[in-house]
Amino acid sequence: WALEHITCLAPLREVAGALSGPLAPERGLPEGLGEAEREVRLAYYREKKVPQLRWMLRQARELVEARLSARAAAAAAVVTMGGGERSGSAERTPLRVVDLGCGKGDFSLLLAAAMPTLQVLGVDTNADAIEYAQQRAAIAGLPNARFQTADATALSGDGTALLVALHACGGLSDVALRLAASWGASCLICTCCFGKHRALSPAAEWDLPNGEEAKDVLCRMADCADPHVST
């Protein structure tokens, strides 16, 4: 496919409420940070994390709208063939979004708050992060967001329309693509460092002549700060 450079973000006014109060990303900062360290981390949230969340939200909204349009068209076709009741029921079923590697739930909660008709499931192997995300969802009053501690490779994709993964390190990106393809779901994946989660994507799956050695070289190149080399 041709590459498309997309810089548009969801309007700040649209997400301001979903990024404040119990859903503010900075609430997840560890306790006991020094003033300087806290300011560095807050600057990261303001200047990098929030723009990332706004970019992801805009793309996710477009994918959700495309899914809804396709479902409405399919329902109309069924009605034409005389299956009105079944199509109406399917059309009212909320779309399910799975956030893979959701961490403390920043993007899951933003999706649930910005698009309340969605059913959002956040999944991560970090039980402490999942517990914190559940607490945030309860405090914010978001019944359409739930979280689960689970191995990504063991997930069921029943009814999933969209799979998202923000900061999908290494093999997690491979798994996310594989799951979305097997589920027939749309996917929105923001890759991260490529050397992590090696067990999720062994070199044998890449069909490389020198196996792990060649994969290590490719991963180091992909993590390079030079955009030409990394691309």
Side-chain angles (χ1 to χ4, degrees), residues 75 78-79 83-93:
V78 172
V79 169
E85 290 187 8
R86 286 181 298 163
S87 65
S89 175
E91 197 170 356
R92 288 191 298 271
T93 303

Side-chain angles (χ1 to χ4, degrees), residues 198 201-216:
R198 294 170 180 270
S201 181
E205 294 183 357
W206 289 30
D207 194 26
L208 299 171
N210 294 322
E212 288 292 345
E213 181 181 357
K215 181 183 174 185
D216 284 345

Side-chain angles (χ1 to χ4, degrees), residues 60 64 94-99 107-108 111 115 118-122 144 146 159-164:
V64 167
L95 286 186
R96 182 176 188 246
V97 178
V98 171
D99 184 1
F107 190 47
S108 301
L111 280 173
M115 291 183 277
L118 296 180
Q119 291 294 326
V120 181
L121 171 64
N144 62 323
R146 63 186 185 90
T160 300
L162 173 63
L163 184 149
V164 299

